[in-house]
Amino acid sequence: MAAKSNLSGSPDADLSSLSDRSLSSRASNRSLRVAEKERRKNDAEDPFVLALKYFSNVEAGTPVHGNDEVEKNLVLVERAAYSKGLSPEAISVMLEFAMSLRMGSGICPRVLKCLIPATVVPQEAVVRAVAWLGVANIPVNTQILFIKWLLTVFDLIDAKDQLRAIYGFIFNFTSEENLCPFICHLLYLLTRKESVRVFRVRKLLELQSKLGRQPFLLNLLSLYKVFCPELVTLSIPSQLKSVFRNHNLPWKSALTVVQRRNSPQVASSLNLFSTSKHKTTSRKRKHHHLGLAMLSSAVNKEPQTETSRQLVPLVQLHSVAQLLENMHRIELPAQMGSLLGSSLGLHYLDCVQDESALLRLNFWLGYTLQEELLFSSDEGSSQSSEESMQFLDKLLSTQHFLQEGFSSSEAFLYKFLSVWDGSVLRPQILGLLSNIPVVPSSQIGQLLFEPLMQLFFTSSLFFKCGLMESLNNMLLKWLTWHSVYALEDDLDISLNSHTSINMTLSGFKDSVMELVDFVGRLASVGLQLEGCHSLLLNFILDFYTTVCDMFLKYGLPLVVVPPPGVFYPALFATDPVSVDRLAFIMHRYKVNLTSAKSQEKLTKQAFRISRQTFKEFNNYAVFMVNCLWNAKLIQPGMSIQLGEELLLKSNVPEYWKSFDLIYHPAFMSYAVDFHQKCWPGRKDMDLDSIKHSKPWNWYLEYLFNQGYDGLKLFIQSNTSRQLTAGDGQGNSLSTE
Amino acid sequence: MSLLKPFSKLPSLNTANILLVESEEQFQQSLADVLVEETAFTVNVRLAKSLPLPKENEESRPRIDLVVFIINLTSELSFQSAEASLKYLDPGYLLGKVCFMVTKARNTSVPTERLDAVRKLAAVLSCPLLFAEDQTPDGVTNARERLLSILKVSAGLVPMATALYLSNLTRCTVPPDIDQPSFD
């Protein structure tokens, strides 16, 4: 950590703030630190202030080349900027100096690059600079650099009202082709409902016909469409996968370093700074780069009755009752991310119909996730991974609260999966994975299955179990959505209340089918590779416990039976729990299939469970009954065939009964125990004697009393127990 | 030009041999240190900067069960070196006994083209492409786990599974461009 903070390389880097992190004796250190800082400040302040004075007073047209004074002063400012960041006043001065081109355009980029705010960026300075953009003859590259800087520090600008007031002015810059992408991004951040006008829409459409369907134009148009759907008739792809491109901003890392270093002092300095604001906004943001900002209103002053409708900032509301009263005139916070931290904000999001809030939140989220998590340039530092973890946990709890995922976190997840090593942030990523909404079956393979399959087969057993659990949760969520949102008459479902993705029932069925098949493949091969590990088997059986009840529990007319690679390992498992769970699953399958069949007969509806499914299920059921109950391992006409000679060659005596309820490796110990209890006096053990009808019934009672309810249900529904063991042929379903 | 051959030598009992090829020799050593800690079977780790391997040790060198090319995505050289080394590999290795391990993929300074090039290379050769976080101890341990799970199969220590079988399931495919919005 020490090495990292020294990276800035400046001589007056605040080393003492490092030591207080590592040492436990904070109190003594602190006073030392304060004293030292005072001393340093006095030393360093004068030249820095002088330098600023120089830049604010310098004559226009002063030559740069060979001018040592400029060089000296600029170095001073740069040093201060990279170590502590610049104060709001310094930002004003330097920005004004750079954008007015008082010393020509050559020095401008260098000044812009060192504009790293220590606390906030004053809005006035930004507005002035934007004004210079229109007046002065600034080279295009420098203009772009300025807009990029503005985008980077956007969240740090102390208020946005004046910037919004010059929306039209900024909008005009879209006609410059090189600036357009960045201006669009800026406009996206500034747009409110009032800003959407017909002529602007027309202008954007014109640009689109000139430049082609650029993502930045589409993004802005989609926001316009949300605000005023009547103005934008263009069809916009339902899910724009990309947010604005990552500009690889040069200030990002410097800003992070400065903010980290400043974080203990920021709160207090902000308090001093923001005397004009009301109390709740005084601690405007925590200066962790992934920390959530506190709620703060976009307008700096108390709301006035300027327009016909008065807006109430969310931050002034303190109870649900207040929220309900003001529902129609809520003003959203300046930074949407702060909603994640406020439960009232989440309530608002949950019940509001207006899509713009969700769209803005989604946008902010997508940008943040991409910037901070996908491309964490300072990977490896424990602090940043801790922050990411907390951030994702927050996001997850928000998603749990809202009961739906965000499309931006979904897009992030797809990208992250393709570069994931399988261990970084594993619980969080698996959590996000189980929250993603239904993926259309045409894309599910490429987006999800490809990366997951690679990760699954190259990772440890525990990852395999974790992924299985996560996929099970994903299926559960999908099915719950289906059962909640499915309309009864037409079989159309809208997947969540906010986005307009609609999916037909058959589309949904296809997606579920794909998912179940995929897990089936993973499970079969996974079990084979891990030697049928019972932990993994348990997670797999969890999944099939969900699958077998899809029809009755969630009303989805779809039954998928497990593949042989899952069924047989579970049936021949050495632990009785797995066999019991399999029996329960088979029992539920039977109940589901019977009720589907009777319903089909009753309503003569079009949906049908395919004959193949019935056939497969029957095969399994017959095999299982034969195996456990009738002690016949292989029968002609069954799904698996083994040569009789081959089995004889194995020299297992009476091989056909080695998997019945007595000799099955999972139950043998129970049989032995039962034998001892039943005939305590007997010296020689003869397990076959359990087969006689009376002890057999006792033995079954004994087994069921051990808690094997699944087995009990299976045997009760598939055999007629009054018959003796010999001919209790399973009365399995017919395929008609 | 001497090719490294997968089946020219006999395997030894309960032993797996892995060759880590990395031109920068940064991640190699730490990975090797944790790989040899495996106790269920003997793991021999050989390190190389690039292929071909020197001739002098050829007799004593055991049969290599898995060749891992470690590519640091922030350096073009690392990728080129791995690409050049591939020529000295018997095609038999490509039946599931080669894998690529990429480090520093989540770095801002990585051009997307390079990642795409690595993906394409792995996809053309039908090899798995693993990502690793080489900066954190957890990342290294996880990389070890993943390499071991492939190594176990390619050394024939997992019954009923062969290297070719596993590589069919894990091989890299050229990804879709998810940055491009899909227009309906």
Side-chain angles (χ1 to χ4, degrees):
Chain A
M1 183 156 301
K4 209 180 117 41
S5 293
N6 277 335
L7 273 183
S8 66
S10 62
D12 55 350
D14 196 357
L15 285 172
S16 50
S17 78
L18 285 174
S19 55
D20 83 340
R21 221 175 281 152
S22 51
L23 291 177
S24 53
S25 57
R26 288 192 67 164
S28 63
N29 242 344
R30 199 189 178 95
S31 57
L32 265 179
R33 201 185 68 183
V34 170
E36 193 181 8
K37 188 174 287 151
E38 276 301 314
R39 191 175 54 77
R40 270 195 193 167
K41 220 178 189 174
N42 289 338
D43 291 348
E45 206 164 58
D46 283 336
F48 178 62
V49 169
L50 284 180
L52 282 185
K53 207 170 262 171
Y54 173 82
F55 283 115
S56 64
N57 295 333
V58 67
E59 292 273 318
T62 312
V64 185
H65 202 68
N67 188 341
D68 286 345
E69 208 174 354
V70 183
E71 182 61 30
K72 192 189 80 190
N73 286 326
L74 193 53
V75 166
L76 269 175
V77 174
E78 276 176 338
R79 194 176 290 165
Y82 287 122
S83 63
K84 289 183 300 221
L86 297 177
S87 66
E89 298 78 34
I91 295 269
S92 292
V93 170
M94 294 313 291
L95 193 58
E96 176 71 18
F97 167 75
M99 298 301 288
S100 63
L101 298 185
R102 247 180 276 162
M103 296 180 79
S105 55
I107 200 170
C108 197
R110 190 167 158 202
V111 176
L112 280 177
K113 274 183 190 148
C114 73
L115 287 181
I116 294 152
T119 52
V120 292
V121 176
Q123 180 181 219
E124 288 77 19
V126 175
V127 173
R128 285 183 70 88
V130 174
W132 278 115
L133 208 56
V135 185
N137 197 9
I138 304 174
V140 176
N141 281 342
T142 314
Q143 290 184 6
I144 293 178
L145 192 66
F146 167 69
I147 304 285
K148 279 183 176 178
W149 173 79
L150 197 52
L151 290 173
T152 317
V153 298
F154 188 82
D155 279 342
L156 300 176
I157 300 175
D158 51 4
K160 315 267 164 38
D161 50 342
Q162 291 177 26
L163 264 180
R164 293 213 166 100
I166 57 165
Y167 188 92
F169 183 73
I170 299 175
F171 189 88
N172 274 338
F173 289 107
T174 48
S175 46
E176 307 223 0
E177 210 167 299
N178 292 319
L179 274 185
C180 191
F182 309 102
I183 290 290
C184 283
H185 189 170
L186 185 60
L187 289 174
Y188 192 103
L189 296 170
L190 288 171
T191 301
R192 280 185 307 175
K193 194 174 164 73
E194 298 87 273
S195 343
V196 184
R197 295 289 164 77
V198 190
F199 65 90
R200 288 192 185 132
V201 175
R202 209 174 288 146
K203 171 85 185 170
L204 286 181
L205 289 177
E206 201 178 286
L207 277 173
Q208 179 163 287
S209 62
K210 207 169 88 192
L211 301 175
R213 297 183 68 130
Q214 299 291 346
F216 48 88
L217 289 174
L218 279 174
N219 266 319
L220 190 55
L221 276 170
S222 71
L223 183 68
Y224 278 20
K225 189 171 184 170
V226 167
F227 281 121
C228 300
E230 69 281 2
L231 293 184
V232 187
T233 47
L234 181 80
S235 88
I236 287 177
S238 55
Q239 248 180 325
L240 275 177
K241 281 282 189 280
S242 70
V243 290
F244 288 99
R245 201 165 285 282
N246 170 25
H247 299 308
N248 204 353
L249 307 160
W251 299 273
K252 196 82 203 177
S253 50
L255 198 59
T256 314
V257 170
V258 167
Q259 291 191 342
R260 283 242 173 83
R261 198 174 299 154
N262 286 354
S263 50
Q265 309 138 17
V266 160
S268 57
S269 66
L270 255 179
N271 265 331
L272 292 177
F273 179 75
S274 58
T275 40
S276 62
K277 294 177 205 162
H278 26 95
K279 270 183 191 149
T280 34
T281 61
S282 61
R283 279 199 67 231
K284 198 166 154 90
R285 11 191 135 257
K286 288 184 218 156
H287 274 254
H288 297 292
H289 62 151
L290 264 182
L292 298 176
M294 303 286 278
L295 270 181
S296 65
S297 90
V299 196
N300 210 350
K301 44 205 175 221
E302 296 291 327
Q304 306 154 343
T305 46
E306 41 188 313
T307 49
S308 53
R309 60 180 194 141
Q310 187 186 356
L311 295 177
V312 179
L314 206 48
V315 65
Q316 290 178 354
L317 305 177
H318 301 292
S319 69
V320 178
Q322 280 178 328
L323 177 75
L324 289 178
E325 257 170 46
N326 296 305
M327 196 60 126
H328 55 291
R329 43 174 195 174
I330 296 281
E331 195 223 326
L332 291 170
Q335 205 213 13
M336 290 307 283
S338 56
L339 278 184
L340 293 189
S342 122
S343 65
L344 269 189
L346 291 181
H347 277 293
Y348 175 71
L349 263 189
D350 196 28
C351 49
V352 77
Q353 290 300 310
D354 165 28
E355 263 191 36
S356 70
L358 209 73
L359 199 76
R360 277 183 63 194
L361 182 58
N362 246 325
F363 170 74
W364 175 83
L365 204 58
Y367 196 72
T368 313
L369 286 170
Q370 166 125 353
E371 286 281 301
E372 308 293 356
L373 290 168
L374 195 55
F375 299 107
S376 54
S377 44
D378 50 356
E379 54 186 312
S381 89
S382 59
Q383 194 186 357
S384 79
S385 70
E386 185 73 17
E387 269 177 27
S388 324
M389 209 188 296
Q390 282 168 1
F391 180 76
L392 286 183
D393 279 339
K394 190 95 213 164
L395 179 61
L396 278 174
S397 71
T398 307
Q399 292 190 343
H400 279 287
F401 181 89
L402 295 175
Q403 292 285 308
E404 60 187 291
F406 296 109
S407 63
S408 54
S409 68
E410 193 192 345
F412 158 75
L413 187 68
Y414 295 147
K415 284 187 195 163
F416 197 83
L417 282 182
S418 67
V419 294
W420 192 29
D421 76 329
S423 97
V424 169
L425 302 169
R426 188 191 289 174
Q428 285 79 15
I429 294 295
L430 288 181
L432 281 181
L433 182 65
S434 55
N435 276 347
I436 64 169
V438 185
V439 188
S441 58
S442 56
Q443 294 175 349
I444 197 168
Q446 282 197 317
L447 291 177
L448 273 185
F449 296 166
E450 294 279 351
L452 286 182
M453 188 132 111
Q454 286 170 31
L455 283 164
F456 183 83
F457 288 120
T458 56
S459 294
S460 64
L461 175 72
F462 296 101
F463 180 87
K464 290 187 171 103
C465 295
L467 186 62
M468 275 296 156
E469 194 193 7
S470 163
L471 289 172
N472 184 22
N473 287 336
M474 183 153 103
L475 180 66
L476 273 174
K477 292 226 164 79
W478 288 12
L479 293 172
T480 315
W481 272 321
H482 166 76
S483 59
V484 172
Y485 290 111
L487 305 175
E488 276 157 24
D489 304 331
D490 51 347
L491 290 164
D492 245 33
I493 45 170
S494 77
L495 288 182
N496 60 42
S497 49
H498 290 294
T499 62
S500 47
I501 316 165
N502 277 308
M503 203 173 224
T504 58
L505 180 71
S506 70
F508 178 75
K509 263 169 75 176
D510 284 347
S511 290
V512 171
M513 189 81 175
E514 288 276 339
L515 177 64
V516 175
D517 280 351
F518 172 67
V519 174
R521 287 200 300 277
L522 287 191
S524 311
V525 185
L527 281 174
Q528 186 192 343
L529 288 177
E530 296 292 341
C532 300
H533 201 283
S534 44
L535 188 64
L536 181 60
L537 186 59
N538 246 298
F539 280 95
I540 291 168
L541 291 176
D542 271 345
F543 183 81
Y544 279 101
T545 314
T546 311
V547 172
C548 67
D549 253 345
M550 284 195 295
F551 179 70
L552 279 181
K553 246 189 185 163
Y554 303 97
L556 182 70
L558 180 70
V559 178
V560 191
V561 290
V566 173
F567 177 79
Y568 292 105
L571 180 59
F572 298 141
T574 47
D575 59 322
V577 180
S578 298
V579 183
D580 175 62
R581 298 194 62 187
L582 179 72
F584 176 76
I585 289 169
M586 292 306 282
H587 165 68
R588 291 304 304 175
Y589 268 122
K590 180 170 181 184
V591 175
N592 273 268
L593 283 169
T594 339
S595 98
K597 203 171 198 52
S598 61
Q599 199 168 323
E600 199 177 327
K601 268 183 193 144
L602 215 66
T603 58
K604 304 239 170 356
Q605 273 278 320
F607 85 80
R608 286 178 62 91
I609 309 290
S610 80
R611 275 162 178 252
Q612 188 59 33
T613 310
F614 280 104
K615 205 173 149 205
E616 279 171 25
F617 172 78
N618 279 338
N619 272 334
Y620 284 151
V622 169
F623 185 85
M624 204 160 157
V625 170
N626 272 338
C627 213
L628 294 177
W629 190 263
N630 296 334
K632 291 175 191 157
L633 190 56
I634 303 299
Q635 291 239 305
M638 303 262 288
S639 49
I640 52 169
Q641 296 287 348
L642 272 179
E644 181 103 33
E645 318 80 58
L646 204 65
L647 285 166
L648 285 175
K649 249 190 216 163
S650 69
N651 283 334
V652 179
E654 299 182 298
Y655 65 86
W656 52 86
K657 56 179 196 186
S658 46
F659 284 104
D660 68 1
L661 278 177
I662 297 166
Y663 288 99
H664 193 294
F667 297 107
M668 181 108 137
S669 58
Y670 288 106
V672 171
D673 187 43
F674 174 78
H675 188 275
Q676 280 169 351
K677 281 190 178 137
C678 202
W679 298 285
R682 263 204 231 174
K683 283 277 182 301
D684 51 335
M685 174 125 3
D686 177 23
L687 288 180
D688 277 334
S689 57
I690 302 178
K691 279 274 157 95
H692 303 296
S693 85
K694 224 180 195 171
W696 177 250
N697 280 333
W698 290 343
Y699 177 61
L700 286 180
E701 281 304 318
Y702 167 81
L703 268 187
F704 299 158
N705 279 335
Q706 307 293 320
Y708 295 121
D709 294 335
L711 207 59
K712 185 175 174 182
L713 288 168
F714 177 79
I715 287 179
Q716 278 172 355
S717 71
N718 284 295
T719 60
S720 27
R721 267 192 60 197
Q722 28 312 25
L723 299 181
T724 46
D727 47 14
Q729 175 63 275
N731 53 348
S732 42
L733 292 163
S734 69
T735 58
E736 260 181 46
Chain B
M1 178 160 98
S2 69
L3 281 177
L4 189 62
K5 293 205 167 86
F7 300 116
S8 57
K9 286 176 184 151
L10 288 174
S12 42
L13 194 64
N14 229 1
T15 304
N17 306 302
I18 185 169
L19 173 67
L20 305 178
V21 185
E22 186 191 25
S23 67
E24 295 179 332
E25 299 180 305
Q26 287 172 343
F27 186 34
Q28 233 178 13
Q29 192 58 50
S30 55
L31 196 56
D33 289 341
V34 289
L35 273 172
V36 292
E37 283 166 15
E38 174 65 39
T39 48
F41 55 96
T42 318
V43 179
N44 291 323
V45 185
R46 317 286 286 198
L47 304 180
K49 215 170 153 176
S50 63
L51 297 184
L53 298 174
K55 265 216 148 50
E56 52 259 38
N57 294 333
E58 206 155 280
E59 283 308 307
S60 62
R61 188 177 301 133
R63 183 176 105 159
I64 303 288
D65 297 305
L66 182 65
V67 182
V68 184
F69 290 100
I70 301 173
I71 298 175
N72 176 357
L73 264 199
T74 50
S75 122
E76 178 71 30
L77 209 64
S78 170
F79 172 57
Q80 283 168 350
S81 154
E83 213 177 10
S85 298
L86 276 168
K87 292 185 196 119
Y88 301 96
L89 216 51
D90 187 271
Y93 267 107
L94 297 178
L95 304 176
K97 285 169 181 272
V98 176
C99 85
F100 293 92
M101 181 162 253
V102 162
T103 61
K104 301 202 172 64
R106 296 195 302 130
N107 202 317
T108 9
S109 58
V110 173
T112 43
E113 296 78 31
R114 196 175 298 150
L115 180 56
D116 289 347
V118 176
R119 257 187 224 286
K120 214 166 270 170
L121 179 68
V124 165
L125 301 175
S126 307
C127 295
L129 175 65
L130 310 184
F131 292 83
E133 308 279 331
D134 58 338
Q135 302 293 311
T136 54
D138 280 351
V140 178
T141 325
N142 189 62
R144 160 190 189 259
E145 290 298 326
R146 296 185 70 188
L147 284 183
L148 280 180
S149 69
I150 301 179
L151 180 63
K152 258 197 292 190
V153 174
S154 66
L157 300 176
V158 177
M160 310 287 288
T162 64
L164 186 58
Y165 179 52
L166 186 68
S167 83
N168 249 329
L169 301 163
T170 57
R171 68 174 171 206
C172 180
T173 46
V174 180
D177 193 358
I178 40 183
D179 254 337
Q180 289 298 312
S182 55
F183 298 118
D184 343 328

